[in-house]
Amino acid sequence: MHTAPEDELVARLAAAGLTGLNSADLAWLREAAAKARAFALPPGCPPATMPAALFTPLARDDD
Amino acid sequence: MTEAAYWGIAECARRLRAREVSSEELTRALLARIERLDGGLNSFLLPLPEQALAAARQADAEMARGNYRGALHGVPYAAKDIIDVEGWPTTCHSAIRRDHVAQGDAEIITLLKEAGAVLLGKTALHEFATGGPSLDLPWPPARNPWNLEVHPGGSSSGSGAALAAGLTPFALGTDTGGSIRHPATACGVVGMKPTYGAVSLEGVFPLSFSLDHAGPMTRDVADNAIALAAMLDPETASKIGCSAPDAPFPNIGDGLAGLTVGVFDDFYRGADVDAEIAAATDAAVRCIADLGAVVKPLQVSPLATYNSCGRVLLQAESWAVHADWLRARHAEYGERGRRRLMAGALLSAGDYIKAQQLRAFLANEMREAMRGCDLAVTASSLVFPARIADAGAVERTYDRAARMPFNLSGAPALSLPIGFSKTGLPIGFQIVGHPWGEAMVYRAALALEGALQLGGRHPPQFQ
């Protein structure tokens, strides 16, 4: 059985502990979720295998 | 003392040292100006008159004894109300934190206290440094001194507005996706987002820990260098070539001749970029070439890729900070802040890791693109700020900017004014350095500022 997208959104928010949101908030969040889904890694992006490097953006001593 | 309104740090320091004015007189004059003019501007959430006057009197007494601490001694400033000041609330412009009282000073407040600076008060922001100008919070949003109907940029809105209105010689901001450079651009002042990690965030309420930066906002470039120098611990200061407090970056007057300057020109091309802003940015690039720099275009991923990567990181990390409050008290947030902070609840751990993965890729491509360049430049805002009352326009224009790439890369990026629109709104421009290359950024900014000669123009209502 398919779940309507808006129900899925409400369910995901409820799973995160967010309930009782108004319809305008839900509409805004639906759009934000769509933008986040549009996020994609470009070709050639290396795998995330170096966690230590993730939180040290360019500010490295060897620069 | 009305003439003190637009004295910068260097001017205040010169007059204080020459005993032409006392810190108490200067502080009283600015507090009186805040009292008189800030009613419709809303740049200060919390003026601290008694504390400021006590600090000013202490500075005067020390200087009278010959104990001069440096260029900030006795100079007033303002701090964004996301930065802890002992004994006072750090509200983050939110009802959620209305009753908070800071148990200690943020490290940057401590450093500025040691430099003898005088805190005038705490300035307005977007709720928790996100959201936007909101009318449903306990305090009204700051407005733009160049047009009170217009968004002053954010999230360090009050700091930008107070500077442009001549209410303080310098101010502190924070910048997670452009929150120092946006109000600097919109209000026509200078804002520096230093290298990631250069300025301590201890005692600064987090928004997104891997993107957060703190930095100074001023009305001119030389003042900005002085303020930043005072915000650095000695080790970091040494790392970025910062020396004596009164002339912290010794080579910033060397000009642009012989330097190679990259241009992220794709960031400000396209139908959705305001034509006046694109033209002014091109004119600034030509000015840099006329000053003797070699200018060359730089190719990196589209701006939209940088912005979407930053958005995922910011939403995920800020959700982690706010999840408990949002679950229990979401109605106490303003509408804009609440929505932006809740969006992170819809992201998975995989989304976040992918975004950090992309961030490493983007930071590396930017480093490679800038290899061989002394610095790079690009536009700041791509459109002019919307009217605060037009919620839809504020929402649409909020992310139309080229600032997030440098939060992702961690490189220093400064916004300075390069002109005005036909309607009298300021236009900003970004100068970007290599990590720890603040001195080179200031050097280029000082040369461009000197060539453009925009100083001395102030908002008509705040002369």
Side-chain angles (χ1 to χ4, degrees):
Chain A
M1 182 175 159
H2 289 291
T3 306
E6 55 269 36
D7 292 339
E8 183 188 328
L9 182 97
V10 171
R12 287 168 64 196
L13 289 166
L18 295 174
T19 55
L21 305 183
N22 64 43
S23 58
D25 282 353
L26 291 173
W28 194 96
L29 288 166
R30 194 164 294 123
E31 195 175 323
K35 279 186 185 172
R37 276 199 300 274
F39 169 85
L41 295 180
C45 189
T49 54
M50 295 192 296
L54 296 179
F55 307 111
T56 52
L58 278 184
R60 300 189 325 199
D61 287 342
D62 60 358
D63 286 305
Chain B
M1 282 294 288
T2 52
E3 72 275 17
Y6 287 99
W7 291 350
I9 293 173
E11 178 77 4
C12 289
R14 186 185 66 74
R15 290 175 184 269
L16 285 164
R17 283 212 88 174
R19 304 279 185 92
E20 291 175 19
V21 67
S22 70
S23 177
E24 183 175 355
E25 289 168 330
L26 184 56
T27 302
R28 280 191 190 283
L30 290 172
L31 288 168
R33 190 169 163 86
I34 292 165
E35 173 79 21
R36 185 161 54 89
L37 294 176
D38 201 40
L41 187 64
N42 312 320
S43 66
F44 277 83
L45 283 190
L46 179 67
L48 296 169
E50 289 175 17
Q51 176 173 314
L53 288 168
R57 283 191 285 269
Q58 183 185 335
D60 287 333
E62 289 172 353
M63 285 188 278
R65 290 196 301 268
N67 177 19
Y68 181 63
R69 298 191 191 202
L72 294 183
H73 202 173
V75 177
Y77 76 103
K80 182 178 183 177
D81 193 23
I82 197 170
I83 300 168
D84 282 350
V85 174
E86 184 175 4
W88 296 99
T90 307
T91 68
C92 303
H93 209 131
S94 177
I96 294 282
R97 302 260 300 181
R98 196 200 296 259
D99 300 323
H100 169 266
V101 177
Q103 299 303 302
D105 287 332
E107 188 168 336
I108 45 178
I109 298 293
T110 300
L111 287 167
L112 290 172
K113 204 176 265 184
E114 287 168 1
V118 172
L119 179 64
L120 289 169
K122 305 191 78 180
T123 53
L125 61 149
H126 295 169
E127 186 176 29
F128 286 109
T130 188
S134 298
L135 301 170
D136 58 354
L137 299 174
W139 306 271
R143 295 189 172 261
N144 192 322
W146 294 95
N147 180 341
L148 293 174
E149 299 301 311
V150 165
H151 186 4
S155 64
S156 308
S157 322
S159 292
L163 276 163
L167 305 183
T168 181
F170 76 105
L172 305 183
T174 59
D175 190 318
T176 302
S179 289
I180 287 173
R181 291 160 289 153
H182 186 196
T185 295
C187 295
V189 300
V190 177
M192 171 60 116
K193 180 204 80 66
T195 303
Y196 181 78
V199 171
S200 170
L201 291 171
E202 187 184 327
V204 179
F205 195 85
L207 175 59
S208 176
F209 75 93
S210 78
L211 298 168
D212 287 344
H213 301 67
M217 301 171 69
T218 55
R219 282 186 294 268
D220 69 40
V221 174
D223 278 0
N224 203 283
I226 292 170
L228 178 64
M231 296 167 68
L232 303 174
D233 64 46
E235 189 183 336
T236 309
S238 165
K239 196 170 183 175
I240 66 175
C242 177
S243 53
D246 286 7
F249 297 96
N251 300 320
I252 65 170
D254 287 357
L256 279 159
L259 299 184
T260 300
V261 177
V263 185
F264 293 113
D265 50 354
D266 287 345
F267 284 178
Y268 62 94
R269 302 287 177 221
D272 59 346
V273 179
D274 185 279
E276 273 191 276
I277 290 173
T281 307
D282 283 335
V285 172
R286 283 196 299 278
C287 183
I288 284 170
D290 290 345
L291 290 167
V294 175
V295 171
K296 67 173 196 177
L298 300 179
Q299 299 294 318
V300 292
S301 296
L303 179 60
T305 304
Y306 282 88
N307 284 343
S308 62
C309 177
R311 186 187 307 118
V312 171
L313 295 178
L314 197 157
Q315 288 178 352
E317 293 179 4
S318 58
W319 164 250
V321 174
H322 287 269
D324 289 345
W325 280 333
L326 286 166
R327 288 177 184 126
R329 303 168 63 186
H330 67 77
E332 294 177 54
Y333 287 81
E335 180 182 277
R336 279 209 173 95
R338 175 174 76 232
R339 290 174 180 173
R340 286 177 182 273
L341 293 166
M342 285 193 299
L346 298 168
L347 295 168
S348 68
D351 293 330
Y352 178 70
I353 293 296
K354 265 175 39 182
Q356 285 290 10
Q357 184 183 354
L358 177 58
R359 183 237 195 99
F361 172 86
L362 296 173
N364 186 58
E365 78 162 7
M366 187 163 283
R367 181 169 43 229
E368 289 302 316
M370 284 183 64
R371 199 178 290 280
C373 294
D374 295 290
L375 37 84
V377 297
T378 193
S380 180
S381 291
L382 304 181
V383 292
F384 288 103
R387 290 177 60 247
I388 289 174
D390 187 344
V394 169
E395 196 66 32
R396 282 192 301 279
T397 57
Y398 192 87
D399 291 330
R400 304 271 290 280
R403 293 179 281 264
M404 179 59 91
F406 315 112
N407 294 82
L408 291 170
S409 74
L414 174 145
S415 173
L416 82 164
I418 55 167
F420 290 85
S421 72
K422 288 175 191 148
T423 57
L425 290 176
I427 299 173
F429 180 77
Q430 287 188 98
I431 298 178
V432 182
H434 293 286
W436 313 108
E438 278 79 354
M440 186 63 81
V441 173
Y442 283 132
R443 177 175 160 182
L446 197 64
L448 185 59
E449 179 185 64
L452 295 172
Q453 289 294 317
L454 296 174
R457 183 167 170 177
H458 305 303
Q461 281 182 257
F462 295 91
Q463 296 291 343

